[in-house]
Amino acid sequence: QVQLVESGGGLVQPGGSLRLSCAASGSIFSINTMGWYRQAPGKQRELVAVITSGGSTNYADSVKGRFTISGDNAKNTVYLQMNSLKPEDTAVYYCYCKALSYINIRLDSWGQGTQVTVSS
């Protein structure tokens, strides 16, 4: 199993910045992809940004140019730097991890979620 520990959410004014972190631990042989999804009240969960172990990234159009995802393979940790935040970025942000166990089983894991609120 994989455990994901998220941190960094909170309340910020429009135009402000936050940095989310997510550390993975457990029976991990290798990690293929880590990233962030978000879910606003009354809406479906959506992709924010993901990064592969090779460094390839994918962003939602709504966050391109404002958010930057990065990873530390040695620490099994992913970061999301969020700048120029808007009220519509308000949501619960969930860390996601796709990994392989030591017995070659694919593990898809989600964090518990961290609230990001953008409001004046």
Side-chain angles (χ1 to χ4, degrees):
Q1 299 297 322
V2 176
Q3 293 80 43
L4 300 176
V5 178
E6 302 155 334
S7 62
L11 172 65
V12 64
Q13 292 185 342
S17 298
L18 283 175
R19 188 187 193 216
L20 305 182
S21 299
C22 175
S25 62
S27 302
I28 300 171
F29 174 71
S30 65
I31 292 178
N32 176 272
T33 301
M34 290 188 74
W36 296 91
Y37 288 69
R38 67 187 180 187
Q39 187 167 19
K43 295 187 176 181
Q44 290 187 332
R45 189 173 297 188
E46 62 176 6
L47 170 76
V48 177
V50 292
I51 185 168
T52 69
S53 58
S56 297
T57 59
N58 186 33
Y59 294 90
D61 288 342
S62 60
V63 307
K64 285 180 181 177
R66 301 187 297 121
F67 292 10
T68 302
I69 191 168
S70 61
D72 186 332
N73 291 339
K75 296 181 179 180
N76 288 344
T77 300
V78 65
Y79 307 95
L80 184 68
Q81 178 66 42
M82 304 185 292
N83 298 328
S84 302
L85 282 160
K86 304 175 181 180
E88 50 264 43
D89 294 316
T90 296
V92 177
Y93 284 68
Y94 294 93
C95 180
Y96 166 74
C97 176
K98 182 169 72 174
L100 279 179
S101 72
Y102 287 101
I103 55 173
N104 206 34
I105 293 175
R106 172 173 164 168
L107 303 169
D108 288 288
S109 304
W110 293 90
Q112 78 282 4
T114 184
Q115 177 70 45
V116 171
T117 302
V118 184
S119 175
S120 55

